[in-house]
Amino acid sequence: MAAELVTGGTVADPRVHRVVQWTTGNVGKSSVRAIAAHPGLELVGCYAWSPDKSGRDVGELCGIAPLGVEATDDIDALLALQPDCVVYNPMWIDVDELVRILAAGIDVVATASFITGHNQGEGRERIAAACERGGSTMFGSGISPGYINLMAILSAGICDRVDKVTVFEAADTTFYDSPATERPVGFGRPIDDPELPAMTAHGTGVFGEAVRLIADALGVALDDVRCDTDYARTTADLDLGSWTIGAGCVAGVHAAWKGLVGGRTVVEIDIRWRKGQTLEPDWKIDQDGWVLQVDGRPTVKNVIGFLPPPDFQAETIADFMTLGHIMTAMPVINAIPAVVAAPPGILTYNDLPLILPRGLVPPATDGAS
């Protein structure tokens, strides 16, 4: 249940927040590990999407020591726990699930393609109504869209004039084997498929929500939000592990989400993803990550990437991908105290105080300097 904010932009609620984890997929596993290690959070329940996970200890499902909490597919039992918050990490949003949780008076922080909810159509109205009925709060983030867009907003804070905010995202996703999330944006379709632009716009629609987030931070009312697309094909069959992209089909997707005022683009999120070494045209991606640029006075440019820590052990590409799962999970986990303290409704970073990374510094060990 949402509590009250206090003055000074801080949350006056030092208590431990009781949390239910929703699913234990790749991102969910990282969430569980972070919740278990966090002194300000207590895991009290976990929703199991797969029947074979129900009844098993959540720690064991997530590759850590047993936590004494069993996963269950009994939603009523989880709601009866009356947690402060649900950490919602399924692959896709289920509006019916969210309405049920929020109407029960339980706050939700989500990584499942949710920033403002506009991409959900009528589902957004249902979610907002559930927040009103339950006095609960809905917040969505992740790494991108989400946290990266907040960084772009912060970058504009040193300007006395902002002409345009652009977020460039580029990634070689060859080793990201997830056809369930990649096919909907156009990967694997024939390069001349006339349905591609509409498919990509729908599949990347949450980036349009991020455009709205930035525009709202700028105090700008957009006339239009649109998606321009471009594609590259593979010239040879591309084996991606669990699936194959045939020669002549899409192995590169470029989507530019634009927020316009008076025909001028004031916010743009430009995403370019490629696969394999047989791309035509051969889009060059020098480094995975993001470039945040604020054109204005002054013009501000930030380049953001990520590296494993010195003690990180990775034997496979899948191990390395864990970093991406952590970056997706942590923005909403760190937001839990602020979300629990916030007023009811669908909220974004623009409505919350500064999210602080508290409880993440490990205790000192003997001999530490």
Side-chain angles (χ1 to χ4, degrees):
M1 183 71 71
E4 293 184 356
L5 284 173
V6 298
T7 59
T10 58
V11 179
D13 191 357
R15 66 190 175 91
V16 173
H17 293 97
R18 302 172 69 252
V19 175
V20 162
Q21 173 63 35
W22 212 267
T23 74
T24 55
N26 289 330
V27 175
K29 286 183 173 66
S30 290
S31 292
V32 168
R33 294 167 189 151
I35 293 166
H38 199 294
L41 302 174
E42 179 190 359
L43 184 70
V44 297
C46 179
Y47 175 69
W49 184 80
S50 301
D52 62 321
K53 293 183 179 181
S54 184
R56 296 175 59 189
D57 188 278
V58 181
E60 294 175 353
L61 289 174
C62 297
I64 58 177
L67 297 175
V69 176
E70 288 187 354
T72 179
D73 58 2
D74 187 339
I75 294 179
D76 287 333
L78 292 171
L79 299 183
L81 294 171
Q82 296 185 316
D84 298 299
C85 189
V86 163
V87 177
Y88 192 77
N89 295 142
M91 185 177 295
W92 306 111
I93 272 182
D94 184 321
V95 172
D96 290 337
E97 277 184 349
L98 287 174
V99 166
R100 193 169 173 184
I101 297 166
L102 293 162
I106 301 165
D107 297 333
V108 175
V109 295
T111 61
S113 298
F114 192 100
I115 300 296
T116 66
H118 284 85
N119 196 43
Q120 300 301 318
E122 294 181 358
R124 185 180 192 276
E125 297 178 5
R126 293 181 58 206
I127 291 170
C131 289
E132 184 176 356
R133 290 199 305 274
S136 53
T137 305
M138 174 74 195
F139 172 76
S141 184
I143 179 62
S144 177
Y147 176 80
I148 287 297
N149 310 118
L150 173 63
M151 295 289 287
I153 293 168
L154 294 175
S155 297
I158 58 173
C159 303
D160 71 356
R161 189 190 76 233
V162 175
D163 300 319
K164 182 182 179 183
V165 177
T166 308
V167 177
F168 298 96
E169 174 176 323
D172 184 331
T173 66
T174 302
F175 298 106
Y176 180 65
D177 184 9
S178 179
T181 58
E182 295 177 300
R183 283 192 171 115
V185 305
F187 278 107
R189 303 288 293 187
I191 195 72
D192 57 355
D193 187 340
E195 299 299 320
L196 270 174
M199 177 181 292
T200 303
H202 183 265
T204 62
V206 69
F207 288 92
E209 295 187 12
V211 166
R212 295 177 184 273
L213 168 72
I214 296 173
D216 178 56
L218 296 172
V220 172
L222 298 174
D223 298 329
D224 188 26
V225 177
R226 75 172 191 228
C227 180
D228 296 335
T229 61
D230 186 25
Y231 306 93
R233 67 186 183 95
T234 178
T235 58
D237 289 352
L238 186 58
D239 183 359
L240 298 173
S242 69
W243 64 304
T244 298
I245 296 179
C249 293
V250 172
V253 174
H254 175 214
W257 277 96
K258 300 175 180 180
L260 294 91
V261 176
R264 178 172 64 94
T265 300
V266 294
V267 181
E268 181 171 349
I269 298 180
D270 186 287
I271 50 180
R272 189 182 296 268
W273 302 318
R274 65 163 292 162
K275 289 184 178 295
Q277 302 305 311
T278 56
L279 206 64
E280 185 182 84
D282 189 16
W283 296 343
K284 299 299 181 184
I285 296 178
D286 296 326
Q287 179 180 347
D288 288 357
W290 300 268
V291 177
L292 315 179
Q293 182 159 321
V294 180
D295 292 303
R297 193 171 68 176
T299 288
V300 184
K301 184 176 182 179
N302 290 318
V303 179
I304 299 179
F306 55 91
L307 296 169
D311 62 348
F312 187 77
Q313 297 180 355
E315 297 179 357
T316 66
I317 292 295
D319 292 336
F320 186 79
M321 292 299 294
T322 300
L323 293 176
H325 304 147
I326 292 170
M327 293 190 298
T328 301
M330 291 312 298
V332 301
I333 288 177
N334 286 330
I336 288 173
V339 170
V340 171
I346 297 174
L347 303 186
T348 72
Y349 280 117
N350 297 333
D351 306 302
L352 299 177
L354 179 65
I355 304 302
L356 300 175
R358 288 181 170 153
L360 306 183
V361 178
T365 58
D366 292 341
S369 58

